[in-house]
Amino acid sequence: MTGSARKAGTARAGGSGPRTRRDNPGSAGAADAGPVATATAVADPGEELLGELAAAMNQVRRGDFGVRLPRRTGRAGEVVDRFNEMVTIQERRNRDLLRISRVV
């Protein structure tokens, strides 16, 4: 992958696909959200991005808000940045709802 990681530790060494906090044993992730999704090798870079994006979206749907895609350049980088921002917002909202539900 090209580009630097948006957050420390989000670029995957030697592989592609979404990264989760489960990839780093020292950080907290969603409980038993399943295996880390990876994209299959395809010839078209746009197809590769779509595969990674679909796999990451499935992880978010299952409640794994720790998933992030590695940074890219160009239009693909813009899409990845927006996805990572949306997941960060959802992660924050979920955390706030859990905190509020404990009070109520």
Side-chain angles (χ1 to χ4, degrees):
M1 299 293 137
T2 59
S4 61
R6 175 175 211 121
K7 292 185 176 184
T10 59
R12 295 194 74 166
S16 63
R19 176 174 169 77
T20 67
R21 289 195 181 114
R22 284 187 309 284
D23 293 337
N24 181 357
S27 61
D32 194 31
V36 175
T38 57
T40 57
V42 291
D44 182 9
E47 287 293 318
E48 180 182 356
L49 174 61
L50 289 175
E52 289 180 36
L53 188 58
M57 291 170 71
N58 282 330
Q59 286 181 254
V60 171
R61 187 181 67 206
R62 288 191 308 265
D64 182 359
F65 297 108
V67 64
R68 300 293 186 275
L69 293 174
R71 295 285 311 269
R72 295 171 187 249
T73 59
R75 183 69 65 174
E78 292 177 34
V79 171
V80 166
D81 287 347
R82 296 304 82 78
F83 171 80
N84 289 339
E85 289 170 5
M86 288 190 321
V87 174
T88 298
I89 291 167
Q90 289 296 86
E91 182 179 34
R92 187 178 310 124
R93 286 180 181 164
N94 189 57
R95 186 178 51 241
D96 289 345
L97 284 172
L98 289 172
R99 181 179 47 82
I100 291 169
S101 70
R102 288 186 206 122
V103 174
V104 175

